[in-house]
Every structure is written in structure tokens, then in C-alpha cells.
């Protein structure tokens, strides 16, 4: 019988005394050019007992639910951006009040949810060279951060300065594969990084993503984990990218590092997918080309005084975002309610936090801020998945609520 690697022990990071205050981030939640952005999202209205589809107009979030019962319905409309700007609204809420309540964690008043609903939550991995190399390190270190430094030096010695020039699926990439095999450094992560097929997986169930201001979850048994700041594309039922937002594809590096077959446990846990704050629809002011040029910043602020800053540039992605859409959805696989597609991250933290050579891992209470000037800011605080608010409002609950409101 093959030897097995024991599961990691429970983390010993102390619980914060109080929940982090997210209210200082209120002024940065909206995009810098919000006055001309077409922004849609979802708001929970306690009076309705469920979600409302909303669009930002001036300083109000207007209710479009009577015209589009779900965000999936809105995104499938021809001229979705014009509809979001001009469709008659049935009610409205001051955006400042909603954002303040959302960041305060209040659920007794209108507050934002993740801006997607019936879309399948898909994700692409290993689309940036830096994160691809880190995935090789995870695999070679078998999920042990103490071994990562030595492995990292060896991997970079062989491939660090060359692999970024490769075009995935090209003849040059195929030749590089032969060299890496000869060096004993070929990896499943390099296969999807420079091979013809992108890594595409289901990140989490429909309706399970949390939004801005909510807690994001890590498994209490994980001792090596990190956020993954990403561009998320909103794709309609016809496979067209119609908008973009920000996402946090929370990852447990020790779990995935022990075995790629543990990807589900590493990626799909309670509150492990965050999306928001709004979907910005593509229009004359914001196009796919603008999304391709985004810089996405990440800051992590710990209750222990730890601070980390990083920037991911979409210009460095090795596969075009629309190529990723075509690999996730098309004749091979249809999604009649559309998808939300995480496009990958170049963030691969190596900054030591707890001890030399241990690299970065989350502590409870970390405030994670993911931002892009054209998309706004997604901010969340880290908790254990077992302690974060449980996911209880699924597809049946949504359908029942919409039917009771006469919207189906």
C-alpha cells in the first residue's frame, strides 16, 4: 500500500478579539468613474425576503427585478447595458446607505450580495507564469511550505527566465516540454500553463459566492493558504462576455499541494468564493480591451500588524480572456444560465509571515482588499469556513421567493 501524507493539523492562529472594521473602505467600493459606468448587482431586501436585481443610477440603486427576475435574465438581454441604464425602476435605495450597511455586516436592512445568481461559477488556473511556477513548487513541496524555498530556487534555475515567452499550445511550447521532462521538472501545472488546453474547473456551486463585506472562508485545518485576486468575466447563455467584476478565488495551498485530486477541497468550501462589488457591463465606456489592460491590486492587513501589497497586470496573462471563455463554454459544454469565469491570478505570495522560510498564509481577521480603478473594490475579512455565515439560500429558495413575489 502506498504511503499517505497526513492531513495538516488545525491552525493555531488566534481568533481576533473583534471583527475587523471594514467601513474605512466605503469611499473606494465604487469605480473611480462610477458616474459613467453601467453597474448591476444584487441587493437583499428584507421586506421582500430575497434578492433584487439592481443597477446604479447616480447615487441610487434602482430595482429592476420586475423586468429581469435574475441577473442571468438581465445579462441575456440584447442591449443589456442600455436596459440597465433606462428600464423603469420600481423602487430605489441610496447607494451610500446600502454600502455602509453591507460593510457593517448588517443583514436586517438592504445590503449587497454577490452580483451573480444562476450562473455557474467556473475558474481557470495557471494562466500567469508567476503563479504557474508557484504551482510547480506546491507540487514538488507536497504542500509543505518549509520545503518550498529550496524547490523554488531549483525551478527558477531551470525555467524562470524562459517560460514566460512561450505561447501556450505552440511548437515552441512543445519543445520546452521535452526539455523540462529531461530536467525532471515537468508538471501537470506546466501542462495547462503552456499546453494547448487551459485548466477550467468548477469553483463553487451556483448561488454560493459571497459578496463585498462578507467573510471569506478558509478551512480550519489549513496552515498554508492565500487569496487569489482575479478578473471575473460575466458570460451570457450564448457564450458572450458581457461584463466584468472582481473575484477572490480563495485557495488552500497545502491541501492542493498534497494532491491535485484534492482540488475540490482546496477550492470549494463555505465562503471560499467572493465576487463583487458589482458587474460592470461592457459598453462604450468600458470594453473587453479595457478589461485586458486592467491592473488588479491586492492588499492584506492583519490584526497582527502584518501588511502585504501586490499588483497583477492582465497584460501579463498567457491566455487571452476570451480564449478562456471559449475553452470553458461552447459546442463542447453549454451553460443555459451563463457562467461567471475567474480568469486566473499571477499572485503567488512568498513573503514570510510567521517564520523565515514559511512564506505567507492567512490569519483569522485578515482584511483582504482587491481593487481595480475601473471595477471598484472587493473587500472581505478572513474567517474559518466552519464559522462563516452558512450558505442557506439556494436555487429552490430563490425560485420559491421569486414565485411568492409574482416574478416567475
Amino acid at each position: 500500500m502506498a504511503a499517505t501524507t497526513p492531513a495538516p493539523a488545525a491552525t493555531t492562529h488566534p481568533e481576533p478579539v473583534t471583527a475587523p472594521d471594514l467601513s474605512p473602505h466605503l469611499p473606494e467600493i465604487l469605480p473611480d468613474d462610477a458616474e459613467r459606468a453601467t453597474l448591476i448587482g444584487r441587493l437583499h431586501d428584507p421586506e421582500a425576503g430575497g434578492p433584487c436585481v439592481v443597477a446604479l443610477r447616480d447615487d441610487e440603486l434602482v430595482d429592476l427585478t420586475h423586468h429581469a427576475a435574475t441577473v442571468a435574465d438581465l445579462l441575456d438581454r440584447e442591449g443589456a447595458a442600455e436596459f440597465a441604464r433606462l428600464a423603469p425602476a420600481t423602487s430605489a435605495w441610496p447607494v451610500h446607505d446600502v454600502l455602509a450597511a453591507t460593510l457593517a455586516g448588517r443583514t436586517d436592512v438592504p445590503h449587497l450580495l454577490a452580483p451573480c445568481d444562476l450562473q455557474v461559477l467556473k475558474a481557470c488556473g495557471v494562466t500567469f507564469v508567476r503563479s504557474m511556477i508557484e504551482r510547480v513548487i506546491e507540487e514538488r513541496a507536497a504542500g509543505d511550505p518549509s520545503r518550498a524555498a529550496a524547490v523554488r530556487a531549483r525551478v527558477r534555475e531551470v525555467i524562470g527566465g524562459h517560460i514566460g515567452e512561450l505561447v501556450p499550445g505552440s511548437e515552441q511550447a512543445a519543445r520546452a516540454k521535452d526539455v523540462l521532462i529531461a530536467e525532471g521538472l515537468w508538471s501537470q501545472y506546466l501542462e495547462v500553463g503552456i499546453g494547448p488546453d487551459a485548466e477550467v474547473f468548477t469553483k463553487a456551486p451556483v448561488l454560493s459566492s459571497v459578496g463585498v463585506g462578507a467573510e471569506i472562508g478558509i478551512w480550519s485545518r489549513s496552515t498554508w493558504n492565500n487569496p487569489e485576486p482575479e478578473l471575473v468575466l460575466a458570460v451570457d447563455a450564448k457564450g458572450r462576455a458581457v461584463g466584468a467584476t472582481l473575484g477572490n478565488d480563495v485557495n488552500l495551498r497545502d491541501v492542493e499541494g498534497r494532491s491535485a485530486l484534492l482540488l475540490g477541497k482546496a477550492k470549494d468550501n463555505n465562503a471560499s468564493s467572493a465576487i463583487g462589488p458589482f458587474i460592470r457591463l461592457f459598453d462604450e465606456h468600458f470594453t473587453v480591451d479595457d478589461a485586458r489592460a486592467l491592473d488588479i491590486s491586492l492588499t492584506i492587513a492583519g490584526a497582527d500588524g502584518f501588511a502585504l501589497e501586490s499588483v497583477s497586470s492582465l497584460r501579463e496573462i498567457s491566455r487571452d480572456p476570451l480564449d478562456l471563455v471559449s475553452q470553458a463554454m461552447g459546442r463542447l459544454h453549454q451553460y443555459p444560465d451563463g457562467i461567471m469565469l475567474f480568469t486566473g491570478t499571477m499572485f503567488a505570495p512568498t513573503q514570510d509571515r510567521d517564520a523565515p522560510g514559511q512564506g505567507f498564509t492567512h490569519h483569522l481577521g485578515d482584511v483582504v482588499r482587491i481593487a481595480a480603478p475601473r471595477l471598484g473594490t472587493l473587500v472581505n475579512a478572513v474567517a474559518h469556513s466552519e464559522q462563516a455565515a452558512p450558505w442557506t439560500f439556494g436555487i429552490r429558495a430563490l425560485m420559491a421567493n421569486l414565485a411568492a413575489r409574482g416574478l416567475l
Side-chain angles (χ1 to χ4, degrees), residues 23 25-30 43 56-61 92-104 109-112 278:
S23 60
H25 298 279
L26 178 59
E28 61 186 17
I29 298 300
L30 296 176
L43 172 151
L56 179 65
R57 296 179 186 170
D58 297 324
D59 58 355
E60 291 186 325
L61 292 171
W93 300 268
V95 66
H96 180 277
D97 293 351
V98 172
L99 292 178
T102 303
L103 295 181
V109 294
H111 58 279
L112 288 184
F278 297 94

Side-chain angles (χ1 to χ4, degrees), residues 48-369:
C52 297
V53 178
V54 296
L56 179 65
R57 296 179 186 170
D58 297 324
D59 58 355
E60 291 186 325
L61 292 171
V62 300
D63 187 2
L64 304 180
T65 318
H66 285 268
H67 308 291
T70 66
V71 171
D73 290 325
L74 192 158
L75 296 182
D76 274 350
R77 283 178 172 265
E78 295 297 330
E82 183 178 11
F83 169 81
R85 291 192 294 262
L86 301 177
T90 56
S91 57
W93 300 268
V95 66
H96 180 277
D97 293 351
V98 172
L99 292 178
T102 303
L103 295 181
R106 294 190 59 183
T107 58
D108 60 324
V109 294
H111 58 279
L112 288 184
L113 305 168
C116 51
D117 42 40
L118 295 180
Q119 297 87 351
V120 175
L121 304 175
K122 304 293 287 188
C124 294
V126 202
T127 57
F128 288 85
V129 172
R130 188 188 306 175
S131 65
M132 176 173 60
I133 293 174
E134 280 300 310
R135 290 296 183 272
V136 175
I137 291 169
E138 284 179 6
E139 185 179 47
R140 289 292 187 266
D144 181 357
S146 65
R147 296 175 54 197
V151 177
R152 186 175 294 114
R154 172 62 179 147
V155 171
R156 287 179 176 167
E157 176 186 347
V158 176
I159 65 174
H162 307 287
I163 204 158
E165 302 171 4
L166 298 177
V167 176
S170 66
E171 291 184 10
Q172 182 187 19
R175 291 195 297 270
K177 176 179 178 179
D178 292 338
V179 172
L180 291 164
I181 290 174
E183 290 285 342
L185 285 174
W186 183 250
S187 162
Q188 59 197 342
Y189 294 110
L190 293 170
E191 174 64 45
V192 295
I194 64 175
D197 300 312
E199 179 189 17
V200 184
F201 59 93
T202 300
K203 164 63 180 178
V206 171
L207 283 172
S208 67
S209 270
V210 299
V212 63
E215 291 180 323
I216 52 171
I218 56 172
W219 193 9
S220 63
R221 286 170 54 185
S222 173
T223 58
W224 190 21
N225 46 69
N226 62 265
E228 292 192 354
E230 304 189 18
L231 172 73
V232 180
L233 293 176
V235 183
D236 69 10
K238 295 181 179 179
R240 302 174 299 187
V242 294
T245 186
L246 299 168
N248 187 350
D249 177 15
V250 180
N251 185 42
L252 309 181
R253 299 186 73 180
D254 48 357
V255 175
E256 185 179 1
R258 284 191 287 134
S259 170
L261 298 181
L262 292 174
L263 180 66
K265 283 186 175 291
K267 290 289 189 178
D268 182 10
N269 299 294
N270 185 43
S272 65
S273 170
I275 296 177
F278 297 94
I279 295 171
R280 181 165 186 171
L281 298 182
F282 294 137
D283 58 15
E284 66 274 21
H285 301 299
F286 183 69
T287 67
V288 172
D289 284 339
D290 292 318
R292 289 186 175 110
L294 287 174
D295 290 334
I296 298 177
S297 65
L298 168 75
T299 61
I300 301 172
D304 59 350
F306 176 85
L308 183 151
E309 296 185 7
S310 178
V311 176
S312 295
S313 174
L314 265 295
R315 296 177 182 86
E316 297 185 36
I317 199 167
S318 58
R319 298 183 191 268
D320 186 78
L322 294 189
D323 175 51
L324 296 176
V325 172
S326 69
Q327 294 213 32
M329 183 176 177
R331 292 292 298 274
L332 180 65
H333 204 319
Q334 299 79 46
Y335 294 93
D337 298 307
I339 63 175
M340 298 295 292
L341 183 64
F342 288 80
T343 57
T345 186
M346 67 181 291
F347 177 67
T350 59
Q351 179 178 341
D352 290 334
R353 183 172 194 174
D354 295 321
Q358 292 293 309
F360 170 83
T361 195
H362 270 311
H363 285 202
L364 299 177
D366 280 352
V367 175
V368 180
R369 173 189 172 275

